[in-house]
Amino acid sequence: MNAATKQPCREIVVSGVGHTRFGRLDEEDVESLVVEAVRGALADADVPGDAVDAIFFGNFNVGMQPLAFGSSLALQADDGLLGVPATRVENACASGSAAVHQGIQAILAGAANTVLVVGAEKMTNSSPETVGRALLGADYDAAGTASRHGFAGLFAAVAHEYQRRYGSIGDEMAWIAAKNHANGLANPYAHLRKDFSFDFCRDVTDANPMVAHPLRRTDCSPVSDGAAALVLQRENLAVRSLARIVGYSQSNDYLPAARRDPLAFEGTKAAVEQALKMSNRALTDLDFAEVHDCFTIAELLVYEAIGLAEPGRAREVVNAGTTLKDGRLPVNPSGGLKSKGHPVGATGVSQHVLAALQLSGRAGDMQVPDAGIGLVHNMGGLAVANYATIMESL
């Protein structure tokens, strides 16, 4: 699995962030969400619009909204942005992180000193059939098929395969769901600020039905609306700095399912390893991680892919409480996609925003004590396009 070596990026900082609430936002559209997030990020960074050199807009859409060309929506937030080159970036559920990485690369290439990154998605006003069909457009084998549940069926098959090889993980997935819901209670941006107990997440009931066996509703992230934005700058130009980017990598796996081991998450493994290598850090140096838990089985497999557990032994991480907020490596202190929500184009940007807040001590009730270095992991498709970013406090 190839993940290209890139030049170190220690001179790049996140200087400001903006974030809307995630959820069913009937009164909002993509434009209003983008404007709110962008204005928040520019104000937080104390950067005027005319100081921005480039804009990257993470947005998946694929038919969920009629406007498929939203790269210039950010200009609605500040007239100083008029004329700034703006590019829509799409890479399925990793569109937000793809936009962040494009911003990093623009600065490293000398094409920009200040970059605005925004990710947004409006999903809840589309029918379940429209959303399901749109999301399945990111899968080689299922693209074009009808579905109300999108990727739930695909990840259910992954969970079945895990159980075939290694035994039941129903309790472990319920534990992950309960953990992330407990964390999400502290996140003012979260879609589902509900404290679901382990028993509630484990049991199949009318309130927690089976969606695609063995995935219960509590094993699945919600369909959400929302936006997030951040400003990237060369550190010597920033008025204020929240966190430094010290490593980043992208690694893609084969698109056809037949060419991938569904449990290996090889692209995730390669991207995280390369980002850690660039940052001259190890997994044991991390103080927290925000990872792509679109389904609880995904977070379980990320534990193994990044080296917290050997293949088939992720239950040991669960049993030890390793990824609890007060554990050795807190995972998804924001509540993750499971609780915070998953407006597809916004997700990766949101993960970077929440990591920057952690590293600057501004995460409020979500705060991990003494957070000095964190990992952001975001993936598109079933671990096909994989992004990792290592960020540290200043």
Side-chain angles (χ1 to χ4, degrees):
M1 181 64 62
N2 181 45
T5 302
K6 308 175 184 71
Q7 68 185 95
C9 51
R10 289 184 176 273
E11 73 271 19
I12 300 176
V13 298
V14 177
S15 58
V17 298
H19 204 298
T20 73
R21 184 168 61 89
F22 281 6
R24 185 180 183 92
L25 308 177
D26 292 334
E27 69 283 8
E28 306 287 353
D29 57 19
V30 175
E31 180 179 338
S32 65
L33 292 166
V34 167
V35 167
E36 179 183 345
V38 167
R39 285 178 175 166
L42 292 176
D44 193 40
D46 195 16
V47 167
D50 59 10
V52 174
D53 301 310
I55 301 166
F56 294 99
F57 174 46
N59 182 240
F60 185 45
N61 193 352
V62 290
M64 290 184 286
Q65 295 296 318
L67 179 64
F69 178 49
S71 54
S72 279
L73 287 177
L75 276 61
Q76 303 293 86
D78 188 309
D79 288 346
L81 294 171
L82 179 63
V84 175
T87 304
R88 175 177 173 242
V89 180
E90 185 279 308
N91 218 2
C93 294
S95 296
S97 284
V100 173
H101 283 206
Q102 287 294 302
I104 292 169
Q105 290 166 358
I107 294 175
L108 289 175
N113 291 314
T114 298
V115 171
L116 171 65
V117 180
V118 58
E121 210 74 62
K122 176 71 177 176
M123 304 174 72
T124 64
N125 64 337
S126 298
S127 69
E129 291 80 7
T130 297
V131 173
R133 190 180 186 92
L135 295 176
L136 285 179
D139 184 76
Y140 180 86
D141 301 288
T145 60
S147 170
R148 289 177 57 88
H149 304 303
F151 265 65
L154 304 182
F155 276 90
V158 172
H160 273 299
E161 178 61 15
Y162 194 101
Q163 294 188 135
R164 185 189 71 80
R165 294 189 202 179
Y166 304 120
S168 175
I169 50 169
D171 284 0
E172 287 76 12
M173 292 193 299
W175 183 91
I176 289 171
K179 168 184 72 72
N180 289 348
H181 277 291
N183 289 347
L185 287 173
N187 186 346
Y189 307 118
H191 185 162
L192 300 176
R193 299 184 74 186
K194 298 180 179 180
D195 189 8
F196 291 144
S197 68
F198 167 74
D199 287 341
F200 179 89
C201 295
R202 179 190 59 191
D203 297 337
V204 177
T205 63
D206 289 343
N208 187 31
M210 193 68 72
V211 174
H213 191 273
L215 301 183
R216 300 142 297 200
R217 180 177 290 166
T218 50
D219 292 307
C220 309
S221 59
V223 171
S224 309
D225 309 326
L230 55 82
V231 177
L232 296 171
Q233 292 186 281
R234 294 190 186 279
E235 187 172 1
N236 63 332
L237 299 177
V239 174
R240 62 174 60 92
S241 300
L242 306 183
R244 182 181 291 115
I245 307 292
V246 293
Y248 75 104
S249 187
Q250 176 192 354
S251 181
N252 272 48
D253 207 337
Y254 292 111
L255 192 57
R259 300 200 67 181
R260 287 180 273 119
D261 178 342
L263 307 188
F265 275 33
E266 292 182 21
T268 287
K269 176 181 171 64
V272 172
E273 285 182 349
Q274 185 62 37
L276 285 169
K277 181 179 179 181
M278 179 187 287
S279 68
N280 197 29
R281 299 282 187 162
L283 183 69
T284 52
D285 294 319
L286 297 177
D287 296 308
F288 70 92
E290 289 287 340
V291 310
H292 192 100
D293 62 319
C294 48
F295 301 92
T296 53
I297 180 61
E299 181 169 325
L300 191 84
L301 287 170
V302 170
Y303 294 167
E304 298 180 4
I306 68 176
L308 275 180
E310 293 297 317
R313 303 182 70 172
R315 59 177 50 86
E316 296 175 7
V317 173
V318 171
N319 293 337
T322 301
T323 59
L324 290 169
K325 190 173 178 181
D326 59 356
R328 178 167 60 86
L329 179 60
V331 171
N332 289 330
S334 70
L337 285 60
K338 175 77 263 293
S339 175
K340 177 161 58 86
H342 186 24
V344 177
T347 288
V349 183
S350 170
Q351 291 176 304
H352 286 82
V353 166
L354 271 295
L357 291 176
Q358 286 284 355
L359 294 166
S360 58
R362 296 172 52 191
D365 292 338
M366 295 179 285
Q367 188 66 52
V368 173
D370 303 316
I373 186 158
L375 163 69
V376 170
H377 158 261
N378 187 203
M379 65 186 184
L382 210 163
V384 172
N386 303 268
Y387 292 79
T389 311
I390 308 297
M391 302 167 65
E392 70 177 16
S393 59
L394 293 123

